Amino acid sequence: MERTVRDGVETAKLFRKTFLKGRGKVYALPKDFDTLLTAARAREVKHDAAQAVKDERHKAARARQRELNALADAEKIAAWRAGESVSLSWGLPCMLRAKPSDPGTVETSLRAEVPLGHARRVYGAILNVMKSGVDFESNGHTIPVGVYKVDKITAAGELHAGCHRISFKEIDRFAGERGWK
């Protein structure tokens, strides 16, 4: 660093002489440059030590998060259904629960929320589609559910709404918990 600064002053003097035809001023290094350089090096050492402590804290936090992420999906699902705020794996099938802070709202594992009354109405529609044996596809006639709409209900009872694909097994489990059967 010191050599770079000293070379910079010499380069500036050469630039002034060559291109500015002697005009302008190149300031010399301060007389206490060596003292300033020593202080800068001391600050750098202090900063590096503080950064190392910070990096260790981040490393420990990442290790803890890896431990939490390593929990088996079954444990995460059980915790999520129990009302905990758990980060679920993206590849898991969509699940349903009553929102812990508002039992009148159904929450999906993909974080969508719909009123419980709408979910109850859609459950009845799913049973009707399964009874008929013919898939329902939205083609002008829609089934609203909260701010969303049902795109498709298969004859097997699978619900398609936007990015959600909810199996009948999950829907039936949720309906059983609510006593809708």
Side-chain angles (χ1 to χ4, degrees), residues 19-137:
F19 296 105
L20 300 178
K21 310 235 187 271
R23 294 183 310 253
K25 179 157 179 61
V26 175
Y27 293 94
L29 291 175
K31 295 191 185 316
D32 61 345
F33 176 72
D34 292 327
T35 306
L36 293 172
L37 187 62
T38 303
R41 287 183 178 143
R43 282 192 307 271
E44 184 178 22
V45 167
K46 186 178 176 182
H47 170 66
D48 289 348
Q51 188 65 39
V53 169
K54 191 176 180 181
D55 289 345
E56 280 300 314
R57 271 193 246 127
H58 284 293
K59 186 177 177 182
R62 284 191 303 271
R64 176 69 181 137
Q65 189 60 46
R66 277 194 300 276
E67 288 172 10
L68 290 174
N69 291 343
L71 288 174
D73 284 339
E75 292 171 334
K76 289 181 183 180
I77 290 169
W80 183 81
R81 285 187 173 149
E84 293 183 39
S85 180
V86 179
S87 179
L88 298 169
S89 303
W90 190 252
L92 291 175
C94 189
M95 296 172 286
L96 304 171
R97 72 175 179 186
K99 186 175 180 184
S101 62
D102 180 12
T105 301
V106 177
E107 182 179 29
T108 71
S109 55
L110 298 177
R111 304 287 187 221
E113 298 176 6
V114 298
L116 188 62
H118 289 211
R120 174 76 170 103
R121 185 172 32 82
V122 170
Y123 179 65
I126 291 169
L127 294 177
N128 288 337
V129 167
M130 290 175 70
K131 188 176 179 181
S132 75
V134 178
D135 290 357
F136 164 82
E137 289 201 44

